[in-house]
Amino acid sequence: MASITINISDEQLQKLQALARESDISLEDLLRARIEDWLSQPTSEFTEAANYVLKKNAELYRRLA
């Protein structure tokens, strides 16, 4: 298993620690679970944005042709 180190503000750390306490889990488990959620969610917003840009560019290219 790999590990990473990131810098966050004291305020962010306090908020994360509070969330972990509220969930009765360790800070590491909270972050690990959130990362897993983030990675497993479909990237619908990105896909929608990419499709929009591609559609707009296709229309532009059609008009320029």
Side-chain angles (χ1 to χ4, degrees):
M1 183 184 305
S3 63
I4 61 171
T5 302
I6 61 169
N7 295 318
I8 61 174
S9 69
D10 290 339
E11 181 181 333
Q12 290 171 320
L13 177 60
Q14 290 172 358
K15 288 179 180 181
L16 288 170
Q17 289 171 328
L19 286 172
R21 274 193 305 276
E22 290 171 11
S23 302
D24 197 29
I25 59 175
S26 71
L27 178 57
E28 291 81 3
D29 286 342
L30 173 76
L31 294 172
R32 194 175 295 113
R34 184 58 189 115
I35 290 169
E36 186 60 38
D37 288 346
W38 179 51
L39 292 174
S40 65
Q41 290 179 356
T43 56
S44 61
E45 289 179 14
F46 173 78
T47 302
E48 289 174 16
N51 286 336
Y52 173 79
V53 169
L54 290 173
K55 182 180 175 183
K56 289 304 255 183
N57 284 348
E59 179 66 17
L60 174 65
Y61 296 144
R62 184 187 65 76
R63 289 181 184 182
L64 293 173

